[in-house]
Amino acid sequence: MRVILVDDEKKFITMLAKRLKFRGFEADIATSGVDAIKMATQKKYDIAVLDIKMPGISGTELKEKLALIQNELKFIFVTGHGGVMQSDCVLGPKDIYLSKPLDIDILIDSMTSCSEKF
Amino acid sequence: MTDCQDDQREMKNLQFFGKINASISHELKNILAIISETTGFVDDLTQLARQGKKFDLSLLENCNQSVVEEIERGFHTIRQMNKLAHTTDMPVASADITEHLDLAVKLTKFLSFSKPVKMVSPEKSVQVETRPFLLVTTFYQLLCELFKATAGDHPLGVKIIAGNNQDATIIFSEYSFDFLPALVSEVLDDAAHLLNFKWETDKSENTITLHLLPAVNE
């Protein structure tokens, strides 16, 4: 399974990518929406794990742009903000929302289930 | 102030505290997320070692360094939170303007739309009798509005000038919009009476100047 991790917290996604690779996933990282868009035009991914609050392009805006490039792409949103579900109707019915700090097993379960379900 | 104005002020103070609380808790969650992933990776390396597989020891050193850096980042965050909490100790007090402006700048750093700020201040402390909490609130809100209206990462200029009579002038410059956002006027007009300052803009120079006068209005 090919995953792109997008978050402006570089250390977070670098470490997460290492842990996913350790578990047999192919994981790339991007620290901005612009970089993620460039990468998605060059390589096919199965899942995008996006931080919601990022400088420049937000995670929800990025989802729209990535979906236009790769229409099969599945999305998991990750955020350190509480109350996102209540304050913004940002998630589509197929999207998964996880809160930081992450549990790697829950992330992997979510990645597996969203790639199997849809 | 009327009771109604008092209530509105109280509500604005609460909203400000809520906003700051949300941005600081977001920062702390990010720090914990990095520490959590790093310790998780150390756990993964431990599993490798148990299986008799070799790995570069510098990986462990890097993990250790990363955790140390994140702990320092956490302390820095908590220090700002603590400084803000103490601005409510006295409703009116003699305050160091540079320190309070610096606190407001540091608090904005936790926001995703934050921009760089280039602050110039006199070597000697600039003390003005003021309402410390409202002063930080006003600086913070003003910076937020200027960031939102400024494109790119060009630093916002802030210059503090000490007056001769326990007063001070603060000049905000280098923002890159041609019109003054309505919220900037709202923020400044709202606080001008309570903080006893006058403010003006110079459209040709693109500056906002605040002149903090000695002694706040009761």
Side-chain angles (χ1 to χ4, degrees):
Chain A
M1 194 183 291
R2 274 185 276 198
V3 190
I4 181 167
L5 308 168
V6 192
D7 195 316
D8 57 314
E9 290 284 347
K10 191 178 180 184
K11 276 191 195 173
F12 171 66
I13 45 173
T14 302
M15 214 42 90
L16 191 55
K18 281 181 184 173
R19 299 192 71 202
L20 288 171
K21 283 174 188 168
F22 187 77
R23 287 158 178 78
F25 293 90
E26 194 180 322
D28 291 339
I29 61 164
T31 54
S32 71
V34 174
D35 288 351
I37 291 165
K38 271 188 207 159
M39 289 165 72
T41 53
Q42 290 161 4
K43 187 172 172 181
K44 194 174 178 345
Y45 293 99
D46 301 295
I47 294 176
V49 178
L50 311 179
D51 182 26
I52 293 180
K53 286 261 179 188
M54 287 188 287
I57 306 170
S58 73
T60 48
E61 288 166 337
L62 182 59
K63 179 199 161 183
E64 304 296 323
K65 292 177 193 294
L66 291 177
L68 289 174
I69 302 167
Q70 298 189 19
N71 60 5
E72 295 290 307
L73 193 59
K74 310 292 185 302
F75 296 94
I76 294 176
F77 287 103
V78 176
T79 187
H81 272 273
V84 171
M85 300 280 278
Q86 291 78 19
S87 60
D88 285 306
C89 294
V90 294
L91 304 181
K94 296 179 185 177
D95 304 329
I96 293 174
Y97 165 83
L98 298 174
S99 185
K100 282 182 189 173
L102 285 181
D103 179 322
I104 189 110
D105 294 326
I106 293 175
L107 174 65
I108 291 171
D109 283 350
S110 303
M111 283 163 46
T112 309
S113 72
C114 84
S115 66
E116 282 170 359
K117 266 186 194 171
F118 304 105
Chain B
M1 273 179 103
T2 64
D3 285 351
C4 183
Q5 283 172 320
D6 272 343
D7 287 349
Q8 280 180 348
R9 170 58 52 198
E10 281 294 303
M11 184 53 74
K12 280 182 180 170
N13 288 346
L14 271 176
Q15 280 172 342
F16 174 73
F17 249 115
K19 206 182 271 185
I20 294 289
N21 217 322
S23 67
I24 285 178
S25 60
H26 177 244
E27 179 76 0
L28 292 175
K29 274 188 177 185
N30 272 331
I31 291 166
L32 291 175
I34 293 169
I35 293 174
S36 170
E37 291 313 320
T38 308
T39 55
F41 184 59
V42 170
D43 211 32
D44 293 346
L45 293 175
T46 309
Q47 298 293 331
L48 278 183
R50 282 214 177 102
Q51 291 163 18
K53 291 176 184 166
K54 286 187 176 176
F55 59 85
D56 190 345
L57 275 180
S58 68
L59 287 173
L60 278 180
E61 287 167 353
N62 292 344
C63 287
N64 191 42
Q65 183 58 32
S66 179
V67 170
V68 168
E69 284 168 10
E70 291 310 306
I71 289 171
E72 179 46 45
R73 182 178 161 193
F75 276 132
H76 170 82
T77 306
I78 288 166
R79 272 196 293 273
Q80 309 319 315
M81 198 163 77
N82 191 257
K83 278 185 189 173
L84 176 67
H86 281 295
T87 61
T88 62
D89 288 350
M90 302 281 283
V92 176
S94 178
D96 184 318
I97 298 303
T98 307
E99 237 176 57
H100 284 68
L101 191 45
D102 184 57
L103 173 59
V105 170
K106 282 178 177 155
L107 290 171
T108 64
K109 295 288 171 212
F110 304 132
L111 299 166
S112 61
F113 58 87
S114 175
K115 300 273 162 73
V117 175
K118 191 180 169 190
M119 199 156 87
V120 178
S121 56
E123 276 182 26
K124 272 182 80 178
S125 158
V126 183
Q127 298 279 334
V128 173
E129 190 192 58
T130 189
R131 291 181 161 82
F133 176 71
L134 183 60
L135 187 71
V136 175
T137 313
T138 306
F139 286 152
Y140 179 89
Q141 288 175 324
L142 178 60
L143 289 168
C144 286
E145 292 313 315
L146 294 177
F147 290 156
K148 280 183 207 168
T150 302
D153 273 338
H154 188 73
L156 182 76
V158 180
K159 188 177 183 182
I160 301 165
I161 303 161
N164 294 324
N165 188 25
Q166 291 184 311
D167 58 333
T169 301
I170 306 162
I171 304 168
F172 294 84
S173 62
E174 306 289 328
Y175 48 83
S176 60
F177 53 87
D178 299 328
F179 62 95
L180 198 66
L183 276 171
V184 169
S185 310
E186 196 181 309
V187 166
L188 294 177
D189 286 340
D190 195 37
H193 175 69
L194 282 170
L195 289 177
N196 197 19
F197 68 79
K198 289 178 177 162
W199 71 277
E200 60 186 9
T201 59
D202 183 331
K203 283 178 187 168
S204 61
E205 294 286 324
N206 246 9
T207 58
I208 299 173
T209 303
L210 267 68
H211 187 194
L212 290 162
L213 301 164
V216 293
N217 300 310
E218 289 300 326

